Amino acid sequence: MVKGSIDSIESMGLVDGPGIRAVIFLTGCKLRCKYCHNPESWVMREGNYTPEDIFKKVLRFKPYFKRNNGGVTFSGGEPLLQGEFLLEVCKMLKKEKIHIALDTAGVGTGNYEEILKYVDLVIFDVKHISSEGYKDLTGGDMTEIFDFLLAANKMNKKFWIRQVIVPGIMDNEEYLVKLSNFLKTNIISTNIERIDFLPFHTLGKEKYQRMGIDYPLGDMVDMDKAKCNELYNRFMEIYENEE
């Protein structure tokens, strides 16, 4: 049986999907986002859990899920890089009618429709909305995300959208307008249940230092939360009022 490479398991997550969640953090990621605060998750390590292992751990929390409309969230790293393992776990969990959320940047290894059969909610991490900006910020090729979004739209999946607001990159009117256009062009609007702006923070900076990695954003300071909220309110005006 295939083994998954798991970095950590959070038993009582409250922000990664509805209700109380068991959050499974998988290792491995193609992207190298300049604002990433989990560089320890970039490299996929040796498999340390079978699908059955994860199933048994998650099943213990099922009573909490039922009382709070919770479930399990697969995060990372990028969980879609461990598609075979993810698929097997999801099949087991869905037999128990457990709500499954997938926190992803949409950059995996394919077989998305098969995996999405068992996923109730996609938490989609928007990195940037232009090919050039995406490449500069993540080192990746933006065209990869569209295969995933196409599959999710085809299967009518519900979305929560997350956008990290990095000072000097996303904190301007032009970006907000383009983000609104990007979402309306690439995701079925009626399936977007929630949009969140997350203020950039430097909490991962010490990890880079401990790992001997240069911190890509240098001396950039945390995004002001009040300013981030103002940007969110302005974005929602644009998003809701555009034709």
Side-chain angles (χ1 to χ4, degrees):
M1 181 179 286
V2 63
K3 281 191 173 184
S5 175
I6 307 300
D7 180 70
S8 61
I9 300 173
E10 183 179 348
S11 59
M12 292 289 180
L14 297 173
V15 296
D16 296 299
I20 293 177
R21 318 289 299 178
V23 187
I24 316 298
F25 294 93
L26 288 79
T27 68
C29 187
K30 292 182 184 180
L31 305 180
R32 295 294 181 267
C33 300
K34 290 181 177 179
Y35 57 75
C36 180
H37 59 276
N38 290 318
E40 72 279 7
S41 70
W42 289 345
V43 178
M44 192 181 303
R45 300 192 285 273
E46 184 177 352
N48 54 354
Y49 284 88
T50 67
E52 184 72 21
D53 293 334
I54 296 297
F55 173 72
K56 289 179 179 178
K57 281 184 173 291
V58 171
L59 200 59
R60 299 205 311 259
F61 303 109
K62 187 176 178 181
Y64 295 100
F65 301 159
K66 292 182 72 173
R67 288 200 295 269
N68 298 276
N69 296 314
V72 61
T73 299
F74 292 97
S75 187
E78 174 52 73
L80 289 175
L81 287 179
Q82 298 190 49
E84 185 180 358
F85 171 79
L86 182 62
L87 179 58
E88 291 305 311
V89 180
C90 287
K91 286 179 178 178
M92 293 178 181
L93 294 171
K94 195 47 62 181
K95 287 180 180 178
E96 292 290 330
K97 296 182 171 57
I98 291 174
H99 183 278
I100 298 172
L102 175 67
D103 185 353
T104 178
V107 181
T109 57
N111 197 30
Y112 300 138
E113 288 189 24
E114 185 63 24
I115 294 169
L116 286 167
K117 286 180 185 177
Y118 304 94
V119 171
D120 301 290
L121 173 69
V122 174
I123 302 174
F124 186 70
D125 302 313
V126 176
K127 302 302 183 182
H128 203 284
I129 41 72
S130 74
S131 297
E132 298 80 9
Y134 189 95
K135 179 70 174 178
D136 179 67
L137 194 64
T138 73
D141 181 355
M142 188 177 181
T143 60
E144 288 196 52
I145 72 173
F146 296 115
D147 287 341
F148 174 78
L149 292 177
L150 183 65
N153 284 327
K154 181 179 178 181
M155 302 186 73
N156 210 33
K157 291 298 169 179
K158 300 298 182 183
F159 276 81
W160 285 14
I161 303 299
R162 287 180 170 174
Q163 170 72 77
V164 174
I165 303 298
V166 182
I169 301 178
M170 289 91 173
D171 57 343
N172 59 81
E173 182 85 1
E174 180 183 5
Y175 187 89
L176 299 182
V177 171
K178 289 182 176 179
L179 174 61
S180 177
N181 291 334
F182 172 84
L183 294 178
K184 290 183 176 181
T185 300
N186 294 291
I187 301 173
I188 298 171
S189 295
T190 53
N191 284 344
I192 297 178
E193 296 185 334
R194 175 170 169 169
I195 300 172
D196 292 319
F197 278 14
L198 308 179
F200 163 79
H201 62 75
T202 57
L203 295 178
K205 191 171 183 178
E206 290 185 3
K207 292 183 182 178
Y208 284 78
Q209 294 170 344
R210 290 197 303 269
M211 295 173 68
I213 304 172
D214 289 335
Y215 188 64
L217 295 179
D219 296 325
M220 185 176 288
V221 298
D222 290 2
M223 178 75 196
D224 181 75
K225 291 182 180 179
K227 173 65 173 177
C228 189
N229 288 335
E230 289 177 12
L231 290 165
Y232 174 78
N233 291 334
R234 175 57 186 148
F235 168 79
M236 291 308 298
E237 289 179 2
I238 295 168
Y239 182 74
E240 293 173 349
N241 293 325
E242 278 187 340
E243 292 291 332

